[in-house]
Amino acid sequence: MTTEVAVLGAGMHPWGKWGRGFVEYGVAAARAALADAGVEWREVGSIVGADTVRGGYPGYVAGATFAKALGWQGARVASVYAACASGAQAIGTARTQILAGMADVVLVVGADAAPKGFFRPAGGDRPDDPDWLRFRVLGATNPAYFGLYARRRMAVHGDTLEDFAQVKVKNAAAGALNPNARYRKAVTGEEVAASAVVADPLRLLDICATSDGAAALVLSSMDFARRHGAADPVRIRAVSTVTPTYPTTVLDLPDIATDSAAVVTPADGTFRASIARAAYEEAGIGPEDISLAEVYDLSTALELQWYEDLGLCGEGEGAKLLRDGVTAPGGRVPVNTSGGLASFGEAVPAQAIAQVCEVTWQLRGTAGARQIEGARVGVTANQGLFGHGSSVVVVR
């Protein structure tokens, strides 16, 4: 049995701070994806919503919320939450339903209306919640986490502030070409260096914002795609949603302790490296086959880490890959051709779906001024709180 499903439609609501509800954004993205697919809402057999914990009660039942907003028509429904990996788990749920024969066409939607400033846990005292603990016990906000990772790369691999700044320069140039991006202005390394320090060594322009936005996909069985006239559609070949492997030997917030490797043999590779490895194994490909990648650039330093975790280079070689132009447009493996979170900001339930939208447009050859010539295989990478891995392999 094939493990591939077709991507018939992709749609987004532009990222920004629009001051409206997440449902409005999600419905706009869903309608755009349905129109792109040439599929009527009544033809959809299932809808999977990626949840937002900031959208009030309807945010926790996003699948049914979007189904109601689009018009009740009896479709199956599911809602998933995995923090920043919610969109990938929604895609995985949709793919499973299609491969199991439960639905021929599934609509996947994620949308958020984010608060101003950095994210904080939902209200209440929850001492069993590691996200709550790292805020209340350590005082470790997201920017503090990003800064710790940047310091580690500088200490262990010799990365520099100039390396971090060039990630922003690259992604801002791509975002300037993307009509869905929130920030559409190129920046220089000097501008990054001159921006305010937020969590030393990271500056304001090293860190992604919080945003409103939405993304949606229409997925189908390959049989439906052919009947629908799509003889050679973009296809999802693998979805990885793995968890860490004991012992965890590198501090990775929101975990606030690490298992000792003194008496236990360390795992073979890091958690993030295992995310991509599982996707590659399922897809039957390797990093050498990748045409482009969309990665989770919460900060400029974290993008460099993903180069290594995706196997695009060896450990500690991420900055060199950047300096050599390998991850820029025209390079061997362009990364974040969308502009990344540097240009979009975080709309948490939508971002892993948005990554697949960008790869889909690139593989179709319809990405406009951002188009990467000859793109055939794309990979996405994301990570959600509490051990949620996320990687999707998309092929043409």
Side-chain angles (χ1 to χ4, degrees):
M1 182 179 71
T2 180
T3 59
E4 294 183 342
V5 298
V7 183
L8 291 186
M12 295 178 67
H13 182 289
W15 259 234
K17 285 288 188 181
W18 307 114
R20 300 192 293 277
F22 80 98
V23 180
E24 180 178 338
Y25 308 143
V27 168
R31 287 174 174 161
L34 289 166
D36 184 47
V39 170
E40 297 290 333
W41 164 232
R42 66 176 64 90
E43 296 180 83
V44 173
S46 178
I47 180 169
V48 184
D51 292 356
T52 168
V53 299
R54 281 168 292 279
Y57 186 76
Y60 289 92
V61 288
T65 297
F66 293 129
K68 177 183 178 182
L70 289 165
W72 295 126
Q73 49 87 314
R76 291 178 179 272
V77 67
S79 298
V80 299
Y81 182 70
C84 295
S86 297
Q89 289 205 6
I91 292 168
T93 299
R95 176 174 175 253
T96 299
Q97 290 181 349
I98 293 168
L99 295 179
M102 296 170 67
D104 267 344
V105 185
V106 182
L107 174 65
V108 181
V109 189
D112 208 357
K116 184 177 182 180
F118 54 77
F119 292 125
R120 60 187 181 275
D125 291 343
R126 298 186 311 282
D128 56 349
D129 177 348
D131 196 32
W132 183 90
L133 285 172
R134 58 108 173 188
F135 273 82
R136 301 300 172 87
V137 177
L138 293 184
T141 62
N142 282 0
Y145 165 39
F146 307 155
L148 288 171
Y149 250 103
R151 276 291 173 204
R152 184 179 188 277
R153 287 202 61 86
M154 294 174 78
V156 175
H157 302 310
D159 292 3
T160 67
L161 296 179
E162 290 74 21
D163 292 326
F164 300 154
Q166 286 308 307
V167 175
K168 174 66 175 185
V169 170
K170 172 182 70 69
N171 290 350
L177 303 174
N178 193 333
N180 288 309
R182 176 178 177 180
Y183 301 105
R184 300 190 60 196
K185 180 180 179 295
V187 301
T188 65
E190 291 74 18
E191 288 174 314
V192 178
S195 62
V197 175
V198 175
D200 189 63
L202 298 178
R203 273 63 180 164
L204 182 65
L205 295 184
D206 283 303
I207 295 173
C208 74
T210 60
S211 291
D212 298 356
L217 295 165
V218 176
L219 307 181
S220 81
S221 66
M222 295 303 296
D223 284 344
F224 180 92
R226 284 188 283 268
R227 294 196 306 271
H228 194 65
D232 183 29
V234 169
R235 308 177 305 282
I236 291 176
R237 181 170 288 176
V239 180
S240 166
T241 56
V242 299
T243 54
T245 301
Y246 177 85
T248 301
T249 57
V250 175
L251 182 64
D252 189 7
L253 294 175
D255 299 325
I256 59 173
T258 179
D259 298 315
S260 173
V263 294
V264 180
T265 302
D268 182 19
T270 64
F271 168 46
R272 277 199 301 270
S274 75
I275 299 170
R277 184 168 62 247
Y280 291 151
E281 289 174 356
E282 183 180 337
I285 64 169
E288 67 279 1
D289 299 308
I290 299 301
S291 304
L292 74 155
E294 285 287 307
V295 306
Y296 184 48
D297 60 318
L298 290 169
S299 78
T300 51
L302 284 176
E303 175 166 326
L304 297 179
Q305 184 67 48
W306 279 113
Y307 298 173
E308 299 164 22
D309 295 332
L310 287 175
L312 305 180
C313 61
E315 183 179 355
E317 297 175 355
K320 183 178 186 302
L321 208 69
L322 175 76
R323 295 174 201 146
D324 291 345
V326 174
T327 59
R332 177 171 56 84
V333 190
V335 175
N336 283 341
T337 60
S338 66
L341 296 182
S343 300
F344 277 74
E346 285 197 272
V348 170
Q351 54 207 33
I353 301 170
Q355 289 179 326
V356 176
C357 288
E358 174 66 15
V359 173
T360 295
W361 292 324
Q362 289 286 350
L363 299 190
R364 284 179 180 174
T366 59
R370 307 187 311 282
Q371 184 62 50
I372 301 303
E373 185 177 354
R376 302 295 297 178
V377 181
V379 65
T380 71
N382 213 301
Q383 181 184 357
L385 292 176
F386 321 124
H388 288 116
S390 162
S391 182
V392 181
V393 173
V394 189
V395 302
R396 184 66 185 269

